Amino acid sequence: MTSIDWILSGTISLGLIWPFFIMLSCYPSDVELENDQNILATKLVDSLAGLIGFTSPHTVDCARQLLLSLGQQYGYSAHGLLHPILFAYYHRLLFDDKIVNLERLESLVLPFVIKSIQSAKNSFENLGILVDLNNNALASAPIRQRLEITAKKAQPEDHLLMVLAMSDDKIQKFHAAIQIILRVWPEMAKEILCSISCVSLFEANYAIGAADVCVHGALFFNQVKFDLEPVKLAEEIIHESSHVRLNCRLSIDNFIENNPSESYSSPLRKDKRPMFGIIHQIFVLSRLRQYYIRCSSELDSTYQQDVDNITKLLSTGLEVARRHAVLSESGKVLLGSVVESL
């Protein structure tokens, strides 16, 4: 599930398009990883107000300056990205002038960020993973509100019950899943661990996972997913982190030129989806297919059934895109990399 549907509904004005940011393949690249992390995050900050249709230049400018100032002083995650909670409060700043001052923002954000950085360092010492897996920063009010909206977009009657930090046994399960990815696809593991700052769980009736640009750098999973075996949990991690990756790319290079109000049949959802939803599904499915090809080769040949099932879904999505997608040249190259891999 992704919030890219509301991201692309606004007007994006990003100025300079950095050549490193034009994604030429659906798959991980060391060159991209070396060049995009903080700059992409900053670009997301600069563009978020426009993306949600907020038009007050004074408030937007104040909010941006406060956020970047706070980020430079305190607000980076343990591995140097702007912390997801800063994105959440930036979104809130645009609509709430009561907290548009640095002192107020510090009092709201700083305690969460400090705890989150320490939690990530603890994870690194214990597991070798520099990601916050056990902190309540992601249960703060702005983040919970965003998750509730995202859950209801997928299923209107859904209700987010609770945002949870991970218990020790679930942290071990996350670690086991990451070890699977490291074994079969180390480039993907590197991308995930360079792009994600925090992971948290939630309880909900229908939603299974979420990645939201308003909490950029965080992943959320329905806690029931942590009952899966490591290979299947690794699938969920790749799925949601791929949404984070593509959210970044579309905020920098919006290569989808379809009318956002038009919708089409979708391989992963019963309801029709706009073309950016179809492209997100293709992007995710192409990566999951590559993942299971590696699992089938290196772990157990029975995972070939997953490859076959995903290939059918991916082919359906590609056919929808072939018939209806209006893409820039970089978008055509991106989808071409998927077709070539089949």
Side-chain angles (χ1 to χ4, degrees), residues 136-152:
N136 64 354
L138 299 183
S140 62
I143 292 177
R144 183 187 169 85
Q145 290 163 6
R146 284 300 315 164
L147 283 176
E148 183 81 27
I149 292 169
T150 305
K152 286 185 178 296

Side-chain angles (χ1 to χ4, degrees), residues 1-8 23 26 211-213 238-251 254-256 266-269 273-288 314 317 321 327 334-335 338:
M1 174 170 44
T2 177
S3 61
I4 199 70
D5 48 335
W6 65 266
I7 295 173
L8 294 179
M23 182 184 282
C26 272
D212 190 324
V213 75
I238 293 172
H239 182 138
E240 295 304 337
S241 64
S242 294
H243 285 311
V244 171
R245 192 70 174 156
L246 189 54
N247 281 346
C248 272
R249 295 306 169 142
L250 286 171
S251 74
N254 181 13
F255 54 77
I256 303 167
S266 157
L268 292 181
R269 296 268 292 267
R273 301 289 292 152
M275 184 52 62
F276 45 78
I278 305 297
I279 296 299
H280 254 276
Q281 292 180 22
I282 290 171
F283 186 78
V284 168
L285 286 168
S286 68
R287 288 168 153 227
L288 295 182
L314 179 57
L327 304 175
L334 178 68
L335 283 198
V338 179

Side-chain angles (χ1 to χ4, degrees), residues 45 49 54 56-70 90 93-94 96-97 99-102 105:
V45 170
F54 198 88
S56 167
H58 174 71
T59 303
V60 169
D61 187 57
C62 288
R64 182 189 303 117
Q65 288 183 26
L66 286 171
L67 180 61
L68 294 178
S69 170
L70 190 62
Y90 176 69
L93 277 169
L94 297 176
D96 186 355
D97 353 6
I99 60 171
V100 181
N101 69 76
L102 188 56
L105 192 57

Side-chain angles (χ1 to χ4, degrees), residues 37 106 246 291 323:
Q37 292 305 319
E106 282 184 23
L246 189 54
Y291 166 64
R323 291 184 179 183

Side-chain angles (χ1 to χ4, degrees), residues 30-61:
D30 283 347
V31 174
E32 291 172 356
L33 285 174
E34 289 168 3
N35 285 283
D36 73 356
Q37 292 305 319
N38 277 315
I39 301 175
L40 276 173
T42 304
K43 286 288 184 180
L44 279 166
V45 170
D46 287 341
S47 64
L48 185 52
L51 294 171
I52 61 176
F54 198 88
T55 56
S56 167
H58 174 71
T59 303
V60 169
D61 187 57

